[in-house]
Amino acid sequence: MGEKVFLTVRPAERDEVFTDMVRIHRSHRIDSDNNIIPAGKVIRIDHAGKHAFAIARGLPDTIARYPEKDRVILMDEFMRQRLSVSSGDKIDRRGITSASQLERILWYLQATNPAVHVPAWLAVISIGLGVLSILLSLALASSSAQESFDIDFSEVPTVHFPTGDQIVSAYPAFEDYSFMLFDICDAFDFTIDSGDCLIYPMNASIGGNALATVVDGNKVIVYDRALSPLVGYEGAEMIIAHELGHHHCRHLGRSVDPRHELQADAFAGAAAKLMRRSLEAALSAVSVLDERPSRTHPGRQDRVAAITAGWNDPGAGKACELP
């Protein structure tokens, strides 16, 4: 867990009252294995014999107004009452842990937001209605999750193109991929309000590829889940970081340049370092890269060098600079 750190309790933003959420800087969301707890995950907060469950998010831009800077925890009045704390009190960071599976269920059931706890209780009640209602709920959830729309890649800007059909059916990304994007944004202190992280993660079958594009004026990252068995979780995270790099470095709509790939690689390496990933983790997706260079992409050796450079100098990687 590292050094002993106390976080100062401060009020949540007005529009985040009764959202069952707390905001903590990513450097203080550390679990018992010294791993960063991803943004969007349910955490348990223990303090002076009290405990509460909440969704963890990063700190907003307005945090600069507090003298403690990143050593704060923002929570609404209801959460403060649960923990018997007031604004200005201190909470030991070691009391913040990842919630267990059962505790995540309890969070849904105890949430103050009716939009969360009412469906949760209805789900619990529905269990008593039998297997038929459960199967029906799963079918409805599945159809909702798979709601898709078509992207015609002959009409939108992108730095990569899918193999095969140019019209692809994409759907909102599964939870893991969305959390990957949130964690990467969190590492760079990117926010939705600033536009740096106003990006929509999507999944689609695009020939084992991933790409950055813009659809109807919205920045999108499309990731083919067929990549994940090949590169693992950390590899998928680095691929998404690479595509975020294309957006951040403003490569879309520009002439094809292999250096753009190296800049996005360096950006991904920087993301890995800022997320406390090892260099080995930063390079976990290189096995799917072509060894030889092409008109659009450098060879594997040059790309490994760019990722490594970004990992060694995150500031340069974030600035889209190459050594």
Side-chain angles (χ1 to χ4, degrees), residues 168-304:
V168 173
S169 181
Y171 50 89
F174 279 65
E175 182 181 72
D176 284 353
Y177 303 107
S178 297
F179 285 155
M180 289 178 194
L181 177 61
F182 298 153
D183 284 343
I184 296 163
C185 288
D186 211 9
F188 284 113
D189 291 325
F190 289 171
T191 65
I192 291 176
D193 291 341
S194 67
D196 294 319
C197 201
L198 186 56
I199 295 174
Y200 296 89
M202 308 292 291
N203 290 138
S205 295
I206 50 175
N209 202 348
L211 51 85
T213 186
V214 175
V215 180
D216 294 332
N218 299 305
K219 291 187 285 188
V220 174
I221 290 175
V222 184
Y223 177 89
D224 190 337
R225 295 174 63 219
L227 284 166
S228 292
L230 303 176
V231 300
Y233 185 93
E234 291 174 331
E237 194 172 52
M238 290 301 96
I239 291 172
I240 291 173
H242 173 96
E243 300 306 330
L244 177 60
H246 282 308
H247 280 299
H248 177 71
C249 298
R250 294 178 170 82
H251 293 155
L252 276 72
R254 296 166 62 181
S255 300
V256 172
D257 187 341
R259 289 177 299 178
H260 292 167
E261 297 302 321
L262 297 178
Q263 289 173 337
D265 286 334
F267 181 90
K273 185 62 172 285
L274 294 173
M275 290 191 293
R276 299 186 181 182
R277 304 288 191 262
S278 65
L279 179 58
E280 181 181 6
L283 297 171
S284 54
V286 299
S287 61
V288 299
L289 302 179
D290 289 333
E291 290 190 15
R292 295 184 177 182
S294 68
R295 184 180 68 87
T296 59
H297 287 67
R300 183 185 299 172
Q301 184 175 352
D302 288 339
R303 300 190 65 178
V304 167

Side-chain angles (χ1 to χ4, degrees), residues 31-192:
D31 63 18
S32 57
D33 296 323
N34 206 34
N35 295 318
I36 292 175
I37 301 172
K41 292 293 188 181
V42 179
I43 60 172
R44 175 180 173 130
I45 306 171
D46 286 275
H47 176 74
K50 303 279 188 177
H51 73 270
F53 305 112
I55 289 287
R57 295 289 187 192
L59 292 177
D61 295 336
T62 53
I63 199 62
R65 70 173 182 259
Y66 295 116
E68 301 89 1
K69 298 295 176 61
D70 66 337
R71 293 196 174 192
V72 298
I73 177 169
L74 306 187
M75 59 178 69
D76 65 13
E77 182 178 0
F78 189 84
M79 191 68 65
R80 297 198 300 272
Q81 289 177 357
R82 282 184 173 178
L83 294 169
S84 297
V85 296
S86 302
S87 180
D89 288 349
K90 307 285 187 180
I91 289 181
D92 191 337
R93 184 184 68 179
R94 294 174 298 179
I96 299 170
T97 56
S98 294
S100 66
Q101 186 171 3
L102 176 59
E103 288 171 337
R104 289 197 294 271
I105 295 173
L106 290 175
W107 176 83
Y108 282 105
L109 296 176
Q110 297 175 357
T112 57
N113 188 344
V116 176
H117 74 244
V118 170
W121 276 109
L122 289 176
V124 171
I125 294 171
S126 71
I127 294 175
L129 299 178
V131 175
L132 181 61
S133 64
I134 295 174
L135 293 175
L136 178 60
S137 298
L138 290 174
L140 290 173
S142 175
S143 64
S144 175
Q146 297 297 323
E147 184 177 353
S148 63
F149 64 90
D150 290 340
I151 302 177
D152 187 346
F153 284 99
S154 66
E155 297 183 353
V156 298
T158 181
V159 289
H160 307 153
F161 285 93
T163 58
D165 293 338
Q166 295 298 295
I167 300 179
V168 173
S169 181
Y171 50 89
F174 279 65
E175 182 181 72
D176 284 353
Y177 303 107
S178 297
F179 285 155
M180 289 178 194
L181 177 61
F182 298 153
D183 284 343
I184 296 163
C185 288
D186 211 9
F188 284 113
D189 291 325
F190 289 171
T191 65
I192 291 176

